[in-house]
Amino acid sequence: MTRDAQPRDAENASLLGFRHHDHGACVADALASADARCADEGLRLTPVRRKVLELLLQEHRALGAYAILDLLRDAGFGSQPPVAYRALDFLVENGFVHKVERLNAFVACAHPGQAHSPAFMICRMCDAVAEAQSLPAKGALGAAARAAGFQIERTVVEAEGVCPTCADKADA
Amino acid sequence: MTRDAQPRDAENASLLGFRHHDHGACVADALASADARCADEGLRLTPVRRKVLELLLQEHRALGAYAILDLLRDAGFGSQPPVAYRALDFLVENGFVHKVERLNAFVACAHPGQAHSPAFMICRMCDAVAEAQSLPAKGALGAAARAAGFQIERTVVEAEGVCPTCADKADA
DNA sequence: CGCAATAATGTTATAAAATCACATGGGGGT
DNA sequence: ACCCCCATGTGATTTTATAACATTATTGCG
């Protein structure tokens, strides 16, 4: 794991959109809205699941399953891999969290509620991840899929590059 | 690894474009053109590297690093993971092979020579992989990146769904 | 309520994917 | 010949993910 489990400070906690924002409120809001949606839809946002979501919202960056597992252990939950993976499965399945395939890591959804095809911008220097929307079925890929008779169910769109912060540093 | 290393028969060898084609010639052509390009550019297409490319062209589907490693062993090469990973690194770096992040697997490039951003259609039923072109920087993602000041260097675009063959089977 | 069925969690073990570190060998160029 | 660089071989380890099974908590139903 290159991403460690500890830092929860302001610098790390504000990277997701490549810009700063009011984080405490954003975590609380997201949790509350997750509670609401689960109640609505009869989903069970159990303590482990809620804690994993909270951790990902808190950190506001992509975390590997084992980093999450460390934090779970610290919080008094089970510390074997399936504990983390099962919670993540639930959260991903229900759109609260996305998996970043390129990093084998997980990040809280930045646009919860709305159905969407997420796209990610991943900084290769600092591993910051920003979520954007993508409409992959609209472009060249969608055309190719229609031509081939392929039915798209889900898409992975991830751009690797350099975030503005790291680009500035590199210039200096 | 769920994909095994053995089958090299006609059925498996013709899935990449979700359609049949003359495979023997296509492998030979691709290898010859790789030889030519490497000679041109001073790249060293060594025996292991060439063998890995040949295997991927031959199989014509995505193979995990360890499946490749098994085939390398059968062909008399070293059988420790770095042997396969190093050859794959070279081939990916130089565009002869792509990594399919969703599958942690590798596939020979279907459009060698031309610089391109590959996109993949991955059948969740049979794991067949077809390569298409994508222009991710043109769409919503490109706009988001420009807005955020993010410099895209490389993109991963992968669609998961059902290929025409499997869709037909499911209908029946 | 009491009980069965279902879903979630805990835990042990193991598989699969990827990398590190260091020794060995093969081809150029001088 | 020698050196240097790059590639390969090998053993060990790290990181990521799943299998299998026991236990506990929830839900629905009579």
Side-chain angles (χ1 to χ4, degrees):
Chain A
M1 177 59 48
T2 54
R3 295 165 293 285
D4 65 299
Q6 274 65 264
R8 215 175 302 198
D9 53 82
E11 175 147 37
N12 275 293
S14 50
L15 292 169
L16 195 137
F18 301 144
R19 64 181 183 279
H20 294 267
H21 66 286
D22 177 352
H23 197 49
C26 125
V27 171
D29 286 0
L31 275 175
S33 102
D35 283 331
R37 186 154 84 78
C38 285
D40 260 22
E41 303 181 18
L43 300 172
R44 297 174 54 184
L45 192 60
T46 61
V48 212
R49 292 169 176 176
R50 194 169 193 281
K51 188 67 189 179
V52 170
L53 178 57
E54 185 192 332
L55 291 167
L56 284 171
L57 288 164
Q58 190 71 51
E59 296 278 345
H60 220 290
R61 61 194 177 106
L63 291 180
Y66 283 71
I68 291 167
L69 194 52
D70 287 344
L71 295 170
L72 281 180
R73 179 182 8 252
D74 293 350
F77 292 89
S79 60
Q80 300 305 313
V83 173
Y85 280 105
R86 285 192 289 231
L88 288 166
D89 283 350
F90 169 88
L91 294 168
V92 168
E93 222 158 64
N94 294 289
F96 297 111
V97 164
H98 301 298
K99 178 169 189 186
V100 182
E101 298 287 346
R102 194 73 222 296
L103 301 177
N104 294 320
F106 300 84
V107 69
C109 177
H111 308 109
Q114 327 138 35
H116 61 285
S117 312
F120 298 100
M121 295 177 272
I122 306 165
C123 179
R124 69 167 154 76
M125 309 199 72
C126 69
D127 273 352
V129 172
E131 180 178 348
Q133 301 281 358
S134 74
L135 298 167
K138 295 277 182 185
L141 179 57
R146 276 188 297 280
F150 182 87
Q151 302 165 9
I152 296 178
E153 291 173 349
R154 195 179 160 281
T155 55
V156 172
V157 178
E158 302 177 0
E160 190 175 2
V162 181
C163 75
T165 307
C166 290
D168 287 353
K169 277 182 202 152
D171 281 349
Chain B
M1 181 58 48
T2 54
R3 296 165 293 285
D4 64 299
Q6 274 64 265
R8 215 176 302 199
D9 51 81
E11 175 148 36
N12 274 293
S14 49
L15 292 170
L16 194 137
F18 301 145
R19 62 181 186 279
H20 294 268
H21 67 285
D22 177 354
H23 197 49
C26 123
V27 171
D29 286 359
L31 276 176
S33 101
D35 283 332
R37 186 154 84 78
C38 286
D40 259 23
E41 303 182 18
L43 300 172
R44 298 174 56 184
L45 192 59
T46 61
V48 213
R49 293 169 177 177
R50 195 170 192 280
K51 187 68 189 180
V52 170
L53 178 56
E54 185 192 331
L55 290 168
L56 284 171
L57 287 163
Q58 190 72 50
E59 295 279 344
H60 221 290
R61 62 195 176 104
L63 290 181
Y66 283 70
I68 291 167
L69 194 53
D70 287 345
L71 295 170
L72 280 180
R73 180 181 8 252
D74 294 349
F77 292 89
S79 60
Q80 300 303 314
V83 173
Y85 281 104
R86 285 193 288 232
L88 288 166
D89 282 350
F90 169 87
L91 294 168
V92 168
E93 222 158 65
N94 293 288
F96 297 111
V97 164
H98 300 299
K99 178 169 188 186
V100 182
E101 298 287 346
R102 194 73 221 295
L103 301 176
N104 294 321
F106 300 85
V107 70
C109 177
H111 307 110
Q114 325 137 37
H116 61 286
S117 313
F120 298 101
M121 294 176 273
I122 305 165
C123 178
R124 69 166 154 79
M125 309 199 71
C126 69
D127 274 351
V129 172
E131 180 178 347
Q133 302 281 359
S134 74
L135 298 167
K138 295 277 183 185
L141 178 57
R146 275 187 298 280
F150 182 87
Q151 302 165 8
I152 295 178
E153 292 173 348
R154 194 179 159 282
T155 55
V156 173
V157 177
E158 303 177 1
E160 190 175 2
V162 181
C163 75
T165 308
C166 289
D168 287 354
K169 277 182 201 151
D171 283 349

